[in-house]
Short mmCIF file of all heavy atoms in Angstrom, two decimals:
data_model
loop_
_atom_site.label_atom_id
_atom_site.label_comp_id
_atom_site.label_asym_id
_atom_site.label_seq_id
_atom_site.Cartn_x
_atom_site.Cartn_y
_atom_site.Cartn_z
N MET A 159 -5.70 -5.77 -10.93
CA MET A 159 -5.35 -4.65 -10.08
C MET A 159 -5.38 -5.11 -8.63
O MET A 159 -6.34 -5.73 -8.18
CB MET A 159 -6.36 -3.51 -10.30
CG MET A 159 -6.28 -2.36 -9.33
SD MET A 159 -4.82 -1.31 -9.42
CE MET A 159 -4.80 -0.87 -11.13
N ASN A 160 -4.33 -4.79 -7.90
CA ASN A 160 -4.24 -5.13 -6.48
C ASN A 160 -4.75 -3.93 -5.67
O ASN A 160 -4.02 -2.98 -5.42
CB ASN A 160 -2.82 -5.48 -6.11
CG ASN A 160 -2.68 -5.95 -4.69
OD1 ASN A 160 -3.46 -5.57 -3.82
ND2 ASN A 160 -1.69 -6.77 -4.44
N TYR A 161 -6.02 -3.99 -5.29
CA TYR A 161 -6.62 -2.86 -4.60
C TYR A 161 -6.11 -2.70 -3.18
O TYR A 161 -6.07 -1.58 -2.67
CB TYR A 161 -8.15 -2.94 -4.64
CG TYR A 161 -8.68 -2.46 -5.97
CD1 TYR A 161 -8.88 -3.35 -7.00
CD2 TYR A 161 -8.90 -1.12 -6.19
CE1 TYR A 161 -9.32 -2.91 -8.25
CE2 TYR A 161 -9.33 -0.66 -7.44
CZ TYR A 161 -9.53 -1.56 -8.45
OH TYR A 161 -9.95 -1.11 -9.67
N ALA A 162 -5.66 -3.77 -2.55
CA ALA A 162 -5.09 -3.65 -1.20
C ALA A 162 -3.86 -2.74 -1.23
O ALA A 162 -3.75 -1.80 -0.43
CB ALA A 162 -4.72 -5.03 -0.67
N LYS A 163 -2.98 -2.99 -2.18
CA LYS A 163 -1.77 -2.15 -2.30
C LYS A 163 -2.11 -0.75 -2.80
O LYS A 163 -1.50 0.23 -2.36
CB LYS A 163 -0.77 -2.82 -3.24
CG LYS A 163 -0.13 -4.05 -2.63
CD LYS A 163 0.90 -4.65 -3.56
CE LYS A 163 1.52 -5.89 -2.95
NZ LYS A 163 2.50 -6.50 -3.84
N LEU A 164 -3.06 -0.66 -3.71
CA LEU A 164 -3.44 0.64 -4.26
C LEU A 164 -4.01 1.56 -3.18
O LEU A 164 -3.61 2.72 -3.07
CB LEU A 164 -4.47 0.50 -5.38
CG LEU A 164 -5.01 1.81 -5.96
CD1 LEU A 164 -3.90 2.63 -6.59
CD2 LEU A 164 -6.11 1.52 -6.96
N ILE A 165 -4.91 1.04 -2.37
CA ILE A 165 -5.52 1.85 -1.31
C ILE A 165 -4.44 2.35 -0.34
O ILE A 165 -4.41 3.52 0.01
CB ILE A 165 -6.60 1.04 -0.54
CG1 ILE A 165 -7.75 0.64 -1.45
CG2 ILE A 165 -7.10 1.80 0.67
CD1 ILE A 165 -8.53 1.77 -2.05
N LYS A 166 -3.55 1.46 0.05
CA LYS A 166 -2.48 1.85 0.96
C LYS A 166 -1.56 2.90 0.30
O LYS A 166 -1.16 3.87 0.93
CB LYS A 166 -1.67 0.64 1.41
CG LYS A 166 -0.67 0.99 2.47
CD LYS A 166 -0.13 -0.22 3.15
CE LYS A 166 0.80 0.24 4.23
NZ LYS A 166 0.70 -0.51 5.44
N HIS A 167 -1.25 2.69 -0.97
CA HIS A 167 -0.39 3.63 -1.71
C HIS A 167 -1.05 5.02 -1.78
O HIS A 167 -0.38 6.04 -1.54
CB HIS A 167 -0.13 3.10 -3.11
CG HIS A 167 0.65 4.04 -3.97
ND1 HIS A 167 2.00 4.23 -3.81
CD2 HIS A 167 0.26 4.87 -4.97
CE1 HIS A 167 2.41 5.14 -4.70
NE2 HIS A 167 1.37 5.54 -5.41
N ILE A 168 -2.32 5.06 -2.08
CA ILE A 168 -3.03 6.34 -2.15
C ILE A 168 -2.96 7.06 -0.80
O ILE A 168 -2.63 8.24 -0.72
CB ILE A 168 -4.51 6.14 -2.55
CG1 ILE A 168 -4.62 5.68 -4.00
CG2 ILE A 168 -5.32 7.41 -2.32
CD1 ILE A 168 -6.02 5.20 -4.40
N ARG A 169 -3.24 6.31 0.26
CA ARG A 169 -3.22 6.92 1.60
C ARG A 169 -1.84 7.46 1.95
O ARG A 169 -1.70 8.57 2.43
CB ARG A 169 -3.65 5.90 2.65
CG ARG A 169 -5.11 5.64 2.70
CD ARG A 169 -5.56 4.95 3.97
NE ARG A 169 -4.68 3.93 4.49
CZ ARG A 169 -3.80 4.12 5.49
NH1 ARG A 169 -3.66 5.28 6.05
NH2 ARG A 169 -3.04 3.12 5.91
N GLU A 170 -0.81 6.67 1.69
CA GLU A 170 0.54 7.10 2.03
C GLU A 170 0.99 8.29 1.19
O GLU A 170 1.59 9.22 1.70
CB GLU A 170 1.52 5.93 1.88
CG GLU A 170 1.32 4.88 2.96
CD GLU A 170 2.19 3.65 2.77
OE1 GLU A 170 2.80 3.48 1.69
OE2 GLU A 170 2.24 2.83 3.71
N LYS A 171 0.68 8.25 -0.09
CA LYS A 171 1.08 9.33 -0.99
C LYS A 171 0.37 10.65 -0.63
O LYS A 171 0.97 11.72 -0.69
CB LYS A 171 0.78 8.97 -2.44
CG LYS A 171 1.25 10.02 -3.42
CD LYS A 171 1.24 9.53 -4.84
CE LYS A 171 1.62 10.66 -5.73
NZ LYS A 171 2.58 10.38 -6.72
N GLN A 172 -0.89 10.55 -0.21
CA GLN A 172 -1.68 11.74 0.10
C GLN A 172 -1.65 12.08 1.60
O GLN A 172 -2.31 13.01 2.04
CB GLN A 172 -3.12 11.52 -0.33
CG GLN A 172 -3.30 11.35 -1.82
CD GLN A 172 -2.93 12.62 -2.58
OE1 GLN A 172 -3.45 13.68 -2.30
NE2 GLN A 172 -2.03 12.49 -3.53
N LEU A 173 -0.90 11.29 2.39
CA LEU A 173 -0.80 11.47 3.84
C LEU A 173 -2.19 11.45 4.51
O LEU A 173 -2.53 12.31 5.32
CB LEU A 173 -0.07 12.78 4.18
CG LEU A 173 1.35 12.92 3.61
CD1 LEU A 173 1.91 14.29 3.90
CD2 LEU A 173 2.26 11.83 4.13
N LEU A 174 -2.97 10.44 4.14
CA LEU A 174 -4.32 10.29 4.66
C LEU A 174 -4.38 9.13 5.64
O LEU A 174 -3.69 8.13 5.48
CB LEU A 174 -5.30 9.99 3.52
CG LEU A 174 -5.44 11.03 2.41
CD1 LEU A 174 -6.25 10.47 1.26
CD2 LEU A 174 -6.07 12.30 2.96
N THR A 175 -5.25 9.24 6.62
CA THR A 175 -5.54 8.11 7.48
C THR A 175 -6.62 7.27 6.80
O THR A 175 -7.23 7.71 5.81
CB THR A 175 -6.08 8.58 8.85
OG1 THR A 175 -7.35 9.23 8.65
CG2 THR A 175 -5.10 9.52 9.55
N GLN A 176 -6.86 6.09 7.34
CA GLN A 176 -7.93 5.26 6.80
C GLN A 176 -9.26 5.98 6.94
O GLN A 176 -10.10 5.92 6.05
CB GLN A 176 -7.97 3.90 7.49
CG GLN A 176 -6.83 3.01 7.09
CD GLN A 176 -6.89 1.64 7.73
OE1 GLN A 176 -7.48 1.45 8.79
NE2 GLN A 176 -6.27 0.67 7.09
N SER A 177 -9.44 6.69 8.04
CA SER A 177 -10.67 7.46 8.26
C SER A 177 -10.83 8.57 7.23
O SER A 177 -11.93 8.81 6.74
CB SER A 177 -10.71 8.03 9.66
OG SER A 177 -10.77 7.00 10.62
N ASP A 178 -9.72 9.26 6.92
CA ASP A 178 -9.76 10.33 5.92
C ASP A 178 -10.21 9.79 4.56
O ASP A 178 -11.09 10.35 3.91
CB ASP A 178 -8.37 10.98 5.74
CG ASP A 178 -7.89 11.74 6.94
OD1 ASP A 178 -8.73 12.19 7.75
OD2 ASP A 178 -6.65 11.89 7.07
N LEU A 179 -9.58 8.70 4.14
CA LEU A 179 -9.92 8.12 2.83
C LEU A 179 -11.35 7.59 2.84
O LEU A 179 -12.07 7.72 1.84
CB LEU A 179 -8.93 7.02 2.43
CG LEU A 179 -9.09 6.48 1.02
CD1 LEU A 179 -9.00 7.58 -0.03
CD2 LEU A 179 -8.07 5.40 0.74
N ALA A 180 -11.76 7.02 3.95
CA ALA A 180 -13.14 6.53 4.07
C ALA A 180 -14.13 7.66 3.85
O ALA A 180 -15.12 7.51 3.13
CB ALA A 180 -13.36 5.89 5.43
N GLU A 181 -13.84 8.80 4.42
CA GLU A 181 -14.72 9.97 4.27
C GLU A 181 -14.74 10.43 2.81
O GLU A 181 -15.81 10.74 2.26
CB GLU A 181 -14.25 11.11 5.17
CG GLU A 181 -15.22 12.24 5.24
CD GLU A 181 -14.82 13.29 6.28
OE1 GLU A 181 -14.31 12.91 7.35
OE2 GLU A 181 -14.98 14.49 5.96
N ILE A 182 -13.59 10.47 2.16
CA ILE A 182 -13.50 10.89 0.76
C ILE A 182 -14.32 9.97 -0.14
O ILE A 182 -15.01 10.43 -1.04
CB ILE A 182 -12.03 10.93 0.31
CG1 ILE A 182 -11.30 12.08 1.00
CG2 ILE A 182 -11.92 11.04 -1.22
CD1 ILE A 182 -9.79 12.04 0.87
N LEU A 183 -14.22 8.66 0.10
CA LEU A 183 -14.91 7.68 -0.75
C LEU A 183 -16.32 7.37 -0.27
O LEU A 183 -17.02 6.56 -0.89
CB LEU A 183 -14.08 6.40 -0.83
CG LEU A 183 -12.71 6.53 -1.48
CD1 LEU A 183 -11.95 5.21 -1.39
CD2 LEU A 183 -12.82 6.99 -2.91
N ASP A 184 -16.72 7.96 0.83
CA ASP A 184 -18.04 7.77 1.40
C ASP A 184 -18.31 6.29 1.77
O ASP A 184 -19.33 5.71 1.41
CB ASP A 184 -19.13 8.29 0.44
CG ASP A 184 -20.47 8.50 1.13
OD1 ASP A 184 -20.47 8.77 2.35
OD2 ASP A 184 -21.51 8.39 0.46
N VAL A 185 -17.32 5.72 2.46
CA VAL A 185 -17.44 4.38 3.01
C VAL A 185 -16.98 4.43 4.47
O VAL A 185 -16.51 5.45 4.94
CB VAL A 185 -16.58 3.35 2.22
CG1 VAL A 185 -17.07 3.23 0.78
CG2 VAL A 185 -15.10 3.69 2.26
N SER A 186 -17.07 3.31 5.16
CA SER A 186 -16.64 3.28 6.57
C SER A 186 -15.15 3.03 6.69
O SER A 186 -14.51 2.49 5.77
CB SER A 186 -17.41 2.21 7.32
OG SER A 186 -16.97 0.93 6.92
N PHE A 187 -14.62 3.39 7.85
CA PHE A 187 -13.23 3.10 8.18
C PHE A 187 -12.96 1.60 8.08
O PHE A 187 -11.93 1.17 7.58
CB PHE A 187 -12.94 3.63 9.61
CG PHE A 187 -11.76 2.97 10.26
CD1 PHE A 187 -10.49 3.42 10.00
CD2 PHE A 187 -11.93 1.90 11.12
CE1 PHE A 187 -9.39 2.80 10.61
CE2 PHE A 187 -10.86 1.28 11.72
CZ PHE A 187 -9.58 1.73 11.45
N THR A 188 -13.91 0.81 8.55
CA THR A 188 -13.77 -0.65 8.54
C THR A 188 -13.64 -1.16 7.10
O THR A 188 -12.85 -2.07 6.83
CB THR A 188 -14.99 -1.31 9.21
OG1 THR A 188 -15.11 -0.78 10.53
CG2 THR A 188 -14.85 -2.82 9.27
N THR A 189 -14.37 -0.56 6.19
CA THR A 189 -14.30 -0.96 4.79
C THR A 189 -12.90 -0.71 4.24
O THR A 189 -12.33 -1.58 3.56
CB THR A 189 -15.35 -0.19 3.96
OG1 THR A 189 -16.64 -0.53 4.45
CG2 THR A 189 -15.26 -0.52 2.49
N ILE A 190 -12.33 0.44 4.51
CA ILE A 190 -10.97 0.75 4.06
C ILE A 190 -10.00 -0.26 4.64
O ILE A 190 -9.13 -0.80 3.94
CB ILE A 190 -10.55 2.19 4.47
CG1 ILE A 190 -11.46 3.23 3.81
CG2 ILE A 190 -9.08 2.44 4.13
CD1 ILE A 190 -11.34 3.34 2.31
N SER A 191 -10.13 -0.56 5.91
CA SER A 191 -9.28 -1.54 6.57
C SER A 191 -9.37 -2.91 5.91
O SER A 191 -8.36 -3.58 5.68
CB SER A 191 -9.65 -1.62 8.05
OG SER A 191 -8.88 -2.59 8.70
N ARG A 192 -10.58 -3.32 5.59
CA ARG A 192 -10.77 -4.62 4.93
C ARG A 192 -10.18 -4.64 3.53
O ARG A 192 -9.64 -5.66 3.10
CB ARG A 192 -12.26 -4.96 4.88
CG ARG A 192 -12.82 -5.32 6.23
CD ARG A 192 -14.30 -5.57 6.17
NE ARG A 192 -14.81 -5.93 7.49
CZ ARG A 192 -16.07 -5.87 7.83
NH1 ARG A 192 -16.99 -5.47 6.96
NH2 ARG A 192 -16.45 -6.21 9.04
N TRP A 193 -10.29 -3.54 2.82
CA TRP A 193 -9.68 -3.45 1.48
C TRP A 193 -8.17 -3.57 1.59
O TRP A 193 -7.54 -4.30 0.83
CB TRP A 193 -10.03 -2.15 0.79
CG TRP A 193 -11.45 -2.01 0.38
CD1 TRP A 193 -12.39 -2.98 0.25
CD2 TRP A 193 -12.11 -0.79 0.03
NE1 TRP A 193 -13.59 -2.46 -0.14
CE2 TRP A 193 -13.45 -1.10 -0.29
CE3 TRP A 193 -11.71 0.52 -0.03
CZ2 TRP A 193 -14.37 -0.14 -0.68
CZ3 TRP A 193 -12.62 1.49 -0.43
CH2 TRP A 193 -13.93 1.16 -0.75
N GLU A 194 -7.57 -2.83 2.52
CA GLU A 194 -6.12 -2.85 2.67
C GLU A 194 -5.60 -4.22 3.09
O GLU A 194 -4.50 -4.60 2.73
CB GLU A 194 -5.65 -1.79 3.66
CG GLU A 194 -5.56 -0.42 3.05
CD GLU A 194 -4.82 0.57 3.93
OE1 GLU A 194 -4.04 0.18 4.81
OE2 GLU A 194 -5.03 1.78 3.71
N SER A 195 -6.38 -4.94 3.87
CA SER A 195 -5.96 -6.26 4.31
C SER A 195 -6.16 -7.32 3.22
O SER A 195 -5.68 -8.44 3.34
CB SER A 195 -6.71 -6.67 5.57
OG SER A 195 -8.07 -6.92 5.27
N GLY A 196 -6.89 -6.94 2.17
CA GLY A 196 -7.17 -7.86 1.08
C GLY A 196 -8.34 -8.79 1.33
O GLY A 196 -8.60 -9.69 0.55
N LYS A 197 -9.07 -8.56 2.43
CA LYS A 197 -10.22 -9.42 2.76
C LYS A 197 -11.38 -9.19 1.80
O LYS A 197 -12.16 -10.09 1.52
CB LYS A 197 -10.67 -9.19 4.18
CG LYS A 197 -9.69 -9.68 5.22
CD LYS A 197 -10.17 -9.43 6.62
CE LYS A 197 -9.14 -9.89 7.62
NZ LYS A 197 -9.52 -9.59 8.98
N PHE A 198 -11.52 -7.95 1.35
CA PHE A 198 -12.59 -7.57 0.43
C PHE A 198 -12.04 -6.69 -0.66
O PHE A 198 -10.93 -6.15 -0.54
CB PHE A 198 -13.70 -6.80 1.17
CG PHE A 198 -14.46 -7.63 2.15
CD1 PHE A 198 -14.07 -7.69 3.48
CD2 PHE A 198 -15.58 -8.34 1.74
CE1 PHE A 198 -14.78 -8.45 4.39
CE2 PHE A 198 -16.28 -9.12 2.65
CZ PHE A 198 -15.88 -9.18 3.99
N GLU A 199 -12.79 -6.53 -1.72
CA GLU A 199 -12.41 -5.65 -2.83
C GLU A 199 -13.53 -4.63 -3.02
O GLU A 199 -14.70 -4.94 -2.83
CB GLU A 199 -12.22 -6.48 -4.09
CG GLU A 199 -11.54 -5.72 -5.19
CD GLU A 199 -11.12 -6.63 -6.34
OE1 GLU A 199 -10.20 -7.42 -6.15
OE2 GLU A 199 -11.74 -6.51 -7.42
N PRO A 200 -13.18 -3.41 -3.43
CA PRO A 200 -14.20 -2.39 -3.64
C PRO A 200 -15.22 -2.79 -4.72
O PRO A 200 -14.89 -3.56 -5.63
CB PRO A 200 -13.41 -1.16 -4.11
CG PRO A 200 -12.00 -1.43 -3.75
CD PRO A 200 -11.84 -2.91 -3.69
N THR A 201 -16.41 -2.25 -4.61
CA THR A 201 -17.43 -2.47 -5.65
C THR A 201 -17.02 -1.69 -6.90
O THR A 201 -16.15 -0.83 -6.86
CB THR A 201 -18.80 -1.96 -5.18
OG1 THR A 201 -18.73 -0.55 -4.98
CG2 THR A 201 -19.27 -2.66 -3.92
N MET A 202 -17.69 -1.98 -7.98
CA MET A 202 -17.40 -1.28 -9.24
C MET A 202 -17.60 0.23 -9.09
O MET A 202 -16.82 1.02 -9.60
CB MET A 202 -18.27 -1.84 -10.36
CG MET A 202 -17.71 -1.58 -11.69
SD MET A 202 -16.05 -2.31 -11.73
CE MET A 202 -15.87 -2.56 -13.41
N LYS A 203 -18.65 0.61 -8.39
CA LYS A 203 -18.94 2.04 -8.16
C LYS A 203 -17.78 2.70 -7.42
O LYS A 203 -17.35 3.79 -7.81
CB LYS A 203 -20.23 2.17 -7.35
CG LYS A 203 -20.64 3.60 -7.07
CD LYS A 203 -21.93 3.64 -6.27
CE LYS A 203 -22.30 5.05 -5.88
NZ LYS A 203 -23.51 5.10 -5.08
N ILE A 204 -17.27 2.07 -6.41
CA ILE A 204 -16.15 2.63 -5.64
C ILE A 204 -14.86 2.58 -6.45
O ILE A 204 -14.04 3.50 -6.36
CB ILE A 204 -15.99 1.91 -4.29
CG1 ILE A 204 -17.25 2.08 -3.44
CG2 ILE A 204 -14.77 2.41 -3.55
CD1 ILE A 204 -17.57 3.51 -3.05
N LYS A 205 -14.69 1.55 -7.25
CA LYS A 205 -13.51 1.50 -8.12
C LYS A 205 -13.47 2.71 -9.05
O LYS A 205 -12.41 3.28 -9.31
CB LYS A 205 -13.48 0.20 -8.93
CG LYS A 205 -13.15 -1.01 -8.09
CD LYS A 205 -13.19 -2.28 -8.93
CE LYS A 205 -12.90 -3.50 -8.10
NZ LYS A 205 -12.94 -4.74 -8.89
N ARG A 206 -14.64 3.12 -9.53
CA ARG A 206 -14.70 4.32 -10.38
C ARG A 206 -14.30 5.56 -9.57
O ARG A 206 -13.59 6.42 -10.07
CB ARG A 206 -16.09 4.49 -10.96
CG ARG A 206 -16.39 3.54 -12.08
CD ARG A 206 -17.73 3.86 -12.75
NE ARG A 206 -18.26 2.66 -13.35
CZ ARG A 206 -19.27 1.94 -12.91
NH1 ARG A 206 -19.93 2.31 -11.84
NH2 ARG A 206 -19.66 0.85 -13.53
N LYS A 207 -14.79 5.65 -8.34
CA LYS A 207 -14.42 6.79 -7.48
C LYS A 207 -12.92 6.82 -7.22
O LYS A 207 -12.31 7.88 -7.22
CB LYS A 207 -15.16 6.72 -6.13
CG LYS A 207 -16.56 7.21 -6.14
CD LYS A 207 -17.09 7.26 -4.70
CE LYS A 207 -18.46 7.85 -4.63
NZ LYS A 207 -18.93 7.95 -3.25
N ILE A 208 -12.35 5.65 -6.98
CA ILE A 208 -10.90 5.55 -6.75
C ILE A 208 -10.15 6.02 -7.99
O ILE A 208 -9.18 6.77 -7.90
CB ILE A 208 -10.51 4.11 -6.34
CG1 ILE A 208 -11.08 3.78 -4.97
CG2 ILE A 208 -8.99 3.95 -6.36
CD1 ILE A 208 -10.99 2.30 -4.60
N ALA A 209 -10.60 5.57 -9.16
CA ALA A 209 -9.94 5.96 -10.41
C ALA A 209 -10.02 7.47 -10.62
O ALA A 209 -9.04 8.11 -11.01
CB ALA A 209 -10.59 5.24 -11.60
N GLU A 210 -11.18 8.06 -10.33
CA GLU A 210 -11.33 9.51 -10.45
C GLU A 210 -10.42 10.24 -9.46
O GLU A 210 -9.79 11.24 -9.81
CB GLU A 210 -12.79 9.92 -10.18
CG GLU A 210 -13.74 9.50 -11.30
CD GLU A 210 -15.20 9.71 -10.92
OE1 GLU A 210 -15.50 10.30 -9.85
OE2 GLU A 210 -16.07 9.24 -11.69
N TYR A 211 -10.35 9.74 -8.24
CA TYR A 211 -9.48 10.34 -7.23
C TYR A 211 -8.02 10.29 -7.68
O TYR A 211 -7.29 11.28 -7.59
CB TYR A 211 -9.64 9.63 -5.88
CG TYR A 211 -8.83 10.27 -4.79
CD1 TYR A 211 -9.34 11.34 -4.05
CD2 TYR A 211 -7.55 9.84 -4.50
CE1 TYR A 211 -8.60 11.95 -3.07
CE2 TYR A 211 -6.80 10.44 -3.51
CZ TYR A 211 -7.33 11.50 -2.80
OH TYR A 211 -6.55 12.11 -1.82
N CYS A 212 -7.61 9.13 -8.19
CA CYS A 212 -6.24 8.97 -8.67
C CYS A 212 -5.93 9.93 -9.82
O CYS A 212 -4.88 10.56 -9.86
CB CYS A 212 -5.97 7.53 -9.11
SG CYS A 212 -5.85 6.37 -7.73
N GLU A 213 -6.88 10.07 -10.73
CA GLU A 213 -6.69 10.96 -11.86
C GLU A 213 -6.56 12.41 -11.40
O GLU A 213 -5.69 13.14 -11.87
CB GLU A 213 -7.87 10.82 -12.83
CG GLU A 213 -7.66 11.57 -14.13
CD GLU A 213 -8.78 11.31 -15.11
OE1 GLU A 213 -9.24 10.18 -15.22
OE2 GLU A 213 -9.18 12.30 -15.79
N MET A 214 -7.39 12.80 -10.46
CA MET A 214 -7.35 14.18 -9.95
C MET A 214 -6.05 14.48 -9.21
O MET A 214 -5.59 15.63 -9.19
CB MET A 214 -8.53 14.44 -8.99
CG MET A 214 -9.85 14.57 -9.66
SD MET A 214 -11.28 14.76 -8.54
CE MET A 214 -10.63 15.40 -7.05
N HIS A 215 -5.43 13.47 -8.61
CA HIS A 215 -4.24 13.67 -7.80
C HIS A 215 -2.97 13.09 -8.45
O HIS A 215 -1.95 12.90 -7.77
CB HIS A 215 -4.45 13.07 -6.41
CG HIS A 215 -5.49 13.82 -5.63
ND1 HIS A 215 -6.83 13.49 -5.68
CD2 HIS A 215 -5.39 14.91 -4.84
CE1 HIS A 215 -7.50 14.33 -4.92
NE2 HIS A 215 -6.66 15.21 -4.41
N ASN A 216 -3.04 12.84 -9.75
CA ASN A 216 -1.90 12.35 -10.52
C ASN A 216 -1.26 11.10 -9.93
O ASN A 216 -0.03 11.01 -9.81
CB ASN A 216 -0.84 13.46 -10.69
CG ASN A 216 -1.38 14.63 -11.46
OD1 ASN A 216 -2.07 14.45 -12.46
ND2 ASN A 216 -1.11 15.83 -10.98
N ILE A 217 -2.10 10.17 -9.52
CA ILE A 217 -1.63 8.88 -9.02
C ILE A 217 -1.85 7.87 -10.13
O ILE A 217 -2.99 7.68 -10.57
CB ILE A 217 -2.38 8.46 -7.74
CG1 ILE A 217 -2.15 9.50 -6.64
CG2 ILE A 217 -1.96 7.05 -7.31
CD1 ILE A 217 -3.03 9.32 -5.43
N ILE A 218 -0.79 7.24 -10.59
CA ILE A 218 -0.91 6.30 -11.70
C ILE A 218 -1.21 4.90 -11.14
O ILE A 218 -0.38 4.28 -10.49
CB ILE A 218 0.38 6.28 -12.54
CG1 ILE A 218 0.65 7.68 -13.10
CG2 ILE A 218 0.28 5.24 -13.66
CD1 ILE A 218 2.00 7.86 -13.71
N MET A 219 -2.45 4.45 -11.38
CA MET A 219 -2.91 3.19 -10.82
C MET A 219 -2.13 2.00 -11.37
O MET A 219 -1.88 1.04 -10.67
CB MET A 219 -4.40 3.01 -11.07
CG MET A 219 -5.26 3.99 -10.32
SD MET A 219 -7.01 3.94 -10.76
CE MET A 219 -7.44 2.24 -10.45
N GLY A 220 -1.73 2.05 -12.61
CA GLY A 220 -1.06 0.93 -13.25
C GLY A 220 0.33 0.66 -12.70
O GLY A 220 0.87 -0.42 -12.90
N ASP A 221 0.90 1.61 -11.99
CA ASP A 221 2.24 1.42 -11.41
C ASP A 221 2.23 0.60 -10.13
O ASP A 221 3.27 0.19 -9.65
CB ASP A 221 2.89 2.78 -11.11
CG ASP A 221 3.30 3.51 -12.37
OD1 ASP A 221 3.26 2.90 -13.45
OD2 ASP A 221 3.67 4.69 -12.28
N ILE A 222 1.07 0.36 -9.56
CA ILE A 222 0.95 -0.37 -8.32
C ILE A 222 0.90 -1.86 -8.62
O ILE A 222 0.05 -2.32 -9.36
CB ILE A 222 -0.34 0.03 -7.54
CG1 ILE A 222 -0.46 1.54 -7.44
CG2 ILE A 222 -0.36 -0.63 -6.17
CD1 ILE A 222 0.69 2.26 -6.81
N LYS A 223 1.82 -2.61 -8.04
CA LYS A 223 1.86 -4.06 -8.30
C LYS A 223 1.82 -4.81 -6.99
O LYS A 223 2.21 -4.44 -5.98
CB LYS A 223 3.11 -4.41 -9.06
CG LYS A 223 3.10 -3.78 -10.43
CD LYS A 223 4.26 -4.32 -11.23
CE LYS A 223 4.36 -3.81 -12.57
NZ LYS A 223 4.04 -3.22 -13.49
#
């Protein structure tokens, strides 16, 4: 799974800023920025939160390449 592309896709689809998504996932703005740049990857706990968010908002994670 490419989390850099997924995070950006979620934000664009939901019209969220990095700060908005950071608040939703209970992480910092800097963390979201690092994920999107591909410098870091979310922890397993956050990956679960992302999956739940995608499910609630009908975002299909497997379509992101």
Side-chain angles (χ1 to χ4, degrees):
M159 170 69 53
N160 185 332
Y161 281 91
K163 289 182 181 179
L164 176 62
I165 297 298
K166 186 166 184 140
H167 176 76
I168 291 169
R169 284 196 321 98
E170 289 175 348
K171 184 167 176 134
Q172 297 294 306
L173 303 175
L174 299 170
T175 65
Q176 287 182 335
S177 295
D178 293 335
L179 187 57
E181 190 174 321
I182 290 167
L183 296 175
D184 197 28
V185 297
S186 71
F187 158 83
T188 304
T189 298
I190 297 293
S191 178
R192 289 177 179 161
W193 291 343
E194 279 193 21
S195 70
K197 291 180 182 176
F198 292 92
E199 193 170 290
T201 63
M202 202 58 156
K203 180 180 176 182
I204 298 297
K205 287 178 181 180
R206 285 187 205 106
K207 279 188 176 183
I208 292 168
E210 289 170 8
Y211 183 87
C212 287
E213 188 175 320
M214 286 176 23
H215 292 90
N216 297 318
I217 300 170
I218 300 169
M219 292 173 56
D221 287 351
I222 311 303
K223 296 189 180 353

